[in-house]
């Protein structure tokens, strides 16, 4: 699906949201320092991959009925994609996609307030 490029105003709003995210990261660092936690046993597991496949089937069913996806569905799918990934480089790409979707969600919240 091709869309119009972002307007200057949309770019400014996005930059403001990303700055808010950066400020929250600074706050988190002040509270807990650098976090070197385990990724978790579920990442890349067959269980995580199966959850992603089941979720995608539900979304396809709704789309087949002409229903647009919801923010909940988009966020859930992106998060499940992270959990299903085993390759570290791809995991990073998926995590960045989650962050970008969450920035867009905040933009939506601000725009529709």
């Amino acid at each position: 699906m091709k869309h119009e490029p972002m307007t200057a105003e949309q770019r400014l709003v996005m930059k403001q949201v990303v700055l808010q995210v950066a400020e929250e990261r600074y706050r988190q660092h002040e509270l807990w320092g650098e976090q070197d936690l385990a990724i978790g046993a579920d990442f890349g597991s067959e269980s995580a991959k199966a959850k992603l496949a089941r979720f995608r089937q539900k979304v396809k069913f709704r789309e087949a009925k002409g229903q647009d996806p919801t923010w909940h569905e988009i966020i859930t799918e992106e998060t499940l994609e992270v959990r299903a990934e085993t390759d570290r480089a791809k995991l990073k790409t998926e995590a960045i996609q989650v962050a970008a979707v969450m920035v867009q969600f905040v933009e939506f919240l601000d725009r529709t307030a």
Side-chain angles (χ1 to χ4, degrees):
M1 222 185 274
K2 185 170 168 96
H3 299 282
E4 296 296 318
M6 289 180 100
T7 65
E9 182 178 342
Q10 289 169 322
R11 292 176 69 85
L12 179 61
V13 168
M14 184 211 35
K15 288 177 183 178
Q16 290 169 341
V17 172
V18 171
L19 181 60
Q20 291 170 332
V21 171
E23 290 297 328
E24 173 58 18
R25 276 292 299 119
Y26 298 144
R27 188 188 76 76
Q28 290 174 1
H29 190 87
E30 290 301 313
L31 287 172
W32 300 298
E34 188 170 29
Q35 299 287 298
D36 289 328
L37 307 172
I39 290 178
D42 190 46
F43 278 77
S45 69
E46 290 306 314
S47 170
K49 292 174 186 177
K51 287 176 188 175
L52 175 59
R54 284 192 307 272
F55 185 79
R56 284 183 171 159
Q57 284 301 106
K58 289 179 189 177
V59 172
K60 283 182 184 180
F61 178 75
R62 283 181 28 81
E63 287 175 348
K65 292 170 56 176
Q67 298 173 343
D68 290 332
T70 64
W71 279 110
H72 175 265
E73 290 171 334
I74 292 168
I75 292 166
T76 300
E77 182 174 17
E78 291 297 332
T79 303
L80 288 172
E81 287 174 354
V82 167
R83 290 177 57 200
E85 190 52 65
T86 56
D87 178 87
R88 196 168 185 93
K90 291 178 182 176
L91 180 59
K92 179 180 175 181
T93 298
E94 293 295 341
I96 289 169
Q97 289 175 6
V98 169
V101 166
M102 295 310 294
V103 166
Q104 188 175 176
F105 181 55
V106 173
E107 292 171 31
F108 162 79
L109 293 173
D110 288 346
R111 186 175 62 250
T112 60

